[in-house]
Each structure stands twice: as C-alpha cells, then as structure tokens.
Amino acid sequence: QVQLVQSGPEVKKPGSSVKVSCKASGANFKRHAISWVRQAPGQGLEWMGGIIPIFGAPNYGQKFLGRVTISTDESTSTAYMELSSLRSEDTAMYYCARVNDTVILTGYYSTWGQGTLVTVSS
Amino acid sequence: DIVMTQSPDSLAVSLGERATINCKSSQSLLYSSNTNNHLAWYQQKPGQPPKLLIYWASTRESGVPDRFRGSGSGTDFTLTISSVQAEDVAIYYCQHYYNTPPAFGQGTRVEIK
C-alpha cells in the first residue's frame, strides 16, 4: 500500500521561502506523477503543479509561475515543493497527492499526504 | 483552463435521506479516444486530506460504500448519497483531470438536518 508522508509544520516570515517534502513508500515512485495541492483556511483545493519523476520536468499552475519549484529525489522516493517570496495569503495546508495512473501528469488522486501547514506571519 | 462549478454550496439532509450534489464543467470532460469522463469526486472531513470516492465519473473506489454513486457525462455530473449517514458529514469536491491544469469545484458542505 502506497503512503505519502509529508514534513512537519512550518512558520515563515513574509518574503522568505519554504520547502516541503513528501516521501513515498511502495513501488513505482518514478512512474506516478506527484501533484501539490494547497488549501487555505476554510477554502477549497487549488492545484499548484506536478511532476512525473521518471521524466523530471515539472508543470506549474499559472498562478504560481516564478514562485514555485517542484522536484524529486528518486534515490529517496521523495518529492519537494518550494515556494518563495511568501506572503500572508500563502498561509495554507499543502498536500502532495499521487496520480493513480502511470506516466501521465494529470489524473485522479488515490493517495494523499497528511498535509503540511505553512503559516506566514511577521 | 476548465472551470468546475458545484451546486449547492451546502445542503442539510435528514439521516437516511438522499443527498444530491451537482458539478458542471466549462467544457466537456468526455475523451473521445477512451469514452471516459475525466471526473473524480472526493470527500474531505475536518482535519483530514481529501479521500477519493469516485473516478471516471461513476467508478467507485475500493472500500467506498455503495450508497455513494456518481453519474453524468460531458459537462454535467452528479454525486448522490442514497441514504445519508452521520459519518457522511463532510465537504465534497469534484475534480476534472481532462487536461492540465486539473481543477476542483469549490466544494459542497453536507450537514445533517
């Protein structure tokens, strides 16, 4: 059974950066896309971007272009999401999620991480 | 980009009654090459990540009770909970995965009357 385990909560100052990790257990890490989805307090779900580890080229949502970097480390089956130039509006729960089907960037998500709360406050 | 719109934003139903949630996409989610609708439904309870209920618009995920049913095609989809239980109190989201970027509806909160 695949599991995604994310890094712990973060508190950041405005203007700084945060890097969240998502470690996958189980087989086939390279062939399943990992997406990052965020949820501001009391709000809905917003896709930030995704990556298929075996191909390595991330795809980002328009809203986050220039501020987000998604990467993977195949040796540890870990995906990363780094968000820079943080502002208060970036305070949210950040989830990683695995696309169920292989070698496609966009799909439905059968496995989610537990979420990482990022708080941006001066 | 495809926009997903759910209705209603919230609904209150009595235990054992039916709940119906609608989801409309700004363009068809039906892929001609595989005749599948690229639409999923999720349930999210407080403090938890979303949980997959339905994919390909009508295929129930393993372990999901059969009171949850997905239907629809093209641009109009429905999630029906045939007999609402107390544990179904949650927010429900539809999501398209027809192309990039994927997108979610704004969510529908289901409460017990």
Side-chain angles (χ1 to χ4, degrees):
Chain A
Q1 173 130 358
V2 177
Q3 273 193 308
L4 299 175
V5 179
Q6 298 183 224
S7 49
E10 302 266 10
V11 179
K12 294 292 182 180
K13 299 284 189 192
S16 67
S17 298
V18 68
K19 191 170 186 177
V20 180
S21 68
C22 170
K23 184 173 175 60
S25 63
N28 275 333
F29 172 76
K30 296 180 185 180
R31 299 178 64 77
H32 289 267
I34 295 288
S35 286
W36 289 89
V37 175
R38 81 174 185 182
Q39 187 170 39
Q43 301 301 307
L45 302 165
E46 183 175 35
W47 186 80
M48 300 179 67
I51 189 169
I52 306 173
I54 197 171
F55 297 142
N59 189 296
Y60 301 127
Q62 188 73 23
K63 178 177 176 179
F64 302 97
L65 278 175
R67 281 212 304 145
V68 70
T69 303
I70 293 173
S71 59
T72 59
D73 180 344
E74 292 179 29
S75 68
T76 59
S77 298
T78 303
Y80 298 92
M81 185 283 300
E82 183 170 20
L83 189 62
S84 62
S85 302
L86 290 169
R87 35 212 189 224
S88 58
E89 310 90 88
D90 294 318
T91 294
M93 186 71 79
Y94 289 78
Y95 294 104
C96 60
R98 191 178 94 146
V99 171
N100 191 76
D101 292 326
T102 56
V103 294
I104 55 168
L105 183 66
T106 302
Y108 60 90
Y109 306 112
S110 52
T111 306
W112 293 71
Q114 82 276 19
T116 296
L117 180 62
V118 175
T119 302
V120 183
S121 174
S122 54
Chain B
D1 295 358
I2 298 173
V3 177
M4 307 299 292
T5 304
Q6 292 181 226
S7 63
D9 289 334
S10 65
L11 73 159
V13 297
S14 301
L15 287 172
E17 294 298 305
R18 179 188 301 261
T20 301
I21 301 168
N22 300 302
C23 175
K24 190 173 184 67
S25 58
S26 59
Q27 70 179 69
S28 177
L29 305 183
L30 180 61
Y31 238 74
S32 56
S33 62
N34 60 15
T35 68
N36 283 335
N37 286 281
H38 292 223
L39 188 283
W41 289 96
Y42 300 86
Q43 174 194 66
Q44 188 178 33
K45 297 182 179 180
Q48 298 183 16
K51 173 189 173 184
L52 177 68
L53 296 176
I54 303 284
Y55 54 94
W56 301 125
S58 61
T59 302
R60 205 177 298 114
E61 171 74 331
S62 175
V64 172
D66 60 7
R67 64 180 180 273
F68 291 92
R69 178 174 174 268
S71 62
S73 185
T75 62
D76 292 281
F77 301 90
T78 300
L79 176 69
T80 303
I81 311 173
S82 59
S83 175
V84 170
Q85 306 300 303
E87 60 265 31
D88 300 335
V89 169
I91 300 176
Y92 293 84
Y93 295 92
C94 60
Q95 177 225 340
H96 90 78
Y97 49 97
Y98 184 86
N99 56 15
T100 303
F104 297 86
Q106 80 276 18
T108 296
R109 183 183 301 272
V110 172
E111 301 171 324
I112 302 299
K113 193 184 295 182

